[in-house]
Amino acid sequence: MTSEELSVRKLEQGDFDKGFLTVLGHLTTVGDVTREMFEEQIRRRDAVGGYHTVVIEDNSRIVATASMVVELKFIHGCSKVGHIEDVVVDPAYRGKRLGLKLIEALIESARGDGCYKVILDCAEGNVPFYEKAGLVRKEVQMVRYLDR
Amino acid sequence: MTSEELSVRKLEQGDFDKGFLTVLGHLTTVGDVTREMFEEQIRRRDAVGGYHTVVIEDNSRIVATASMVVELKFIHGCSKVGHIEDVVVDPAYRGKRLGLKLIEALIESARGDGCYKVILDCAEGNVPFYEKAGLVRKEVQMVRYLDR
């Protein structure tokens, strides 16, 4: 299919067999995630609510994905914020605006959920990409890794 | 009480009457949040799970607060990440390390929940404060405000 024909849909249980974790592996360490762990994590996230994971499939393989978790706030009249996370496109499918399609789908979900804003953290080099999706540079992200 | 004696505790329903929203108002717009909205939001967050809001009280007034939402991931072996949000100290209580106490309490909760890292977004000027809490500068935060 041409990239224009590739559509965005929600993550499904069957995506374990379509290389969902392989695509995530282009972003960061996935580790040993079994089918059972994957299915249980989808169930947990569904039970909690507020999770949106979207994917793009081509030839029965997941080639791009992005997630969002919606946070319930007290500020702004007990409003909500969408945190966009784990955006990744298979290297063979980059430059086809698939990432942009995913971000736009998540922004629509954020609107639907009543979020007053969406936020995300990205590497300096990805700022121009997210600017195309209408985001603007705001603050500094900081991290602390925890020894477990 | 001296600042050393002020302890961190979880947010409670009764904190509406102790100026919880007033303290948040030193951070950003709170808007019209009624007692009913506040109580309902606590109940919703409790039902969802993964929310941690801590406060410091002095003379029956909330003088500092910070929140964290724990996100369920697929990466890193279906691990978790703690998103620290809405950290604010009453201006009259700044410089007493209360913010640090709150962050440390949330980091302990993140460890307890099995998070592999905690992240937050802050203004450039607050980077040195969070460095004291063991966080390091990582990426760029981006935002898109949504018209509703």
Side-chain angles (χ1 to χ4, degrees), chain A residues 15 18-28 30 54-57 61-66 86-91 93-94 102, chain B residues 75:
Chain A
D15 291 331
K18 293 183 174 174
F20 172 70
L21 299 175
T22 306
V23 171
L24 275 183
H26 293 296
L27 176 72
T28 187
V30 175
V54 287
V55 298
I56 294 175
E57 177 180 342
R61 305 294 297 168
I62 304 302
V63 299
T65 180
D86 303 335
V87 180
V88 58
V89 177
D90 183 305
Y93 284 80
R94 289 182 189 169
L102 294 173
Chain B
I75 60 171

Side-chain angles (χ1 to χ4, degrees), chain B residues 15-109:
Chain B
D15 291 332
F16 184 84
D17 293 314
K18 292 182 175 175
F20 172 71
L21 299 175
T22 306
V23 171
L24 275 183
H26 293 295
L27 176 71
T28 187
T29 307
V30 175
D32 291 326
V33 176
T34 64
R35 177 189 305 273
E36 290 64 34
M37 288 165 71
F38 171 77
E39 291 177 351
E40 176 60 21
Q41 195 73 323
I42 290 186
R43 277 193 296 270
R44 264 192 215 136
R45 289 161 49 119
D46 285 348
V48 165
Y51 284 92
H52 301 265
T53 294
V54 287
V55 298
I56 294 176
E57 176 179 342
D58 189 30
N59 291 323
S60 301
R61 304 297 296 170
I62 304 302
V63 298
T65 181
S67 285
M68 181 173 67
V69 57
V70 172
E71 178 201 1
L72 304 173
K73 312 281 271 188
F74 293 103
I75 60 171
H76 291 270
C78 288
S79 191
K80 298 174 186 170
V81 168
H83 296 251
I84 294 177
E85 294 280 328
D86 303 335
V87 181
V88 59
V89 177
D90 182 306
Y93 284 79
R94 289 182 189 169
K96 299 173 188 292
R97 305 176 70 84
L98 299 188
L100 212 54
K101 278 189 186 184
L102 295 172
I103 299 301
E104 285 167 357
L106 290 179
I107 287 173
E108 275 317 293
S109 296

Side-chain angles (χ1 to χ4, degrees), chain A residues 29-30 41 45 51 72-73 76-77 85 118 120-122 133 136 138-145, chain B residues 29-30 41 45 51 72-73 76-77 83 85-86 118 120-122 133 136 138-144:
Chain A
T29 306
V30 175
Q41 195 72 324
R45 288 160 49 119
Y51 284 93
L72 304 173
K73 313 282 270 188
H76 290 270
E85 296 280 326
V118 295
L120 59 81
D121 301 308
C122 69
V136 295
K138 185 76 188 291
E139 294 194 315
V140 179
Q141 184 215 14
M142 301 194 73
V143 62
R144 177 162 163 185
Y145 291 93
Chain B
T29 307
V30 175
Q41 195 73 323
R45 289 161 49 119
Y51 284 92
L72 304 173
K73 312 281 271 188
H76 291 270
H83 296 251
E85 294 280 328
D86 303 335
V118 295
L120 59 81
D121 301 308
C122 69
V136 295
K138 185 74 187 293
E139 296 195 314
V140 178
Q141 184 215 13
M142 301 194 73
V143 63
R144 178 162 162 184

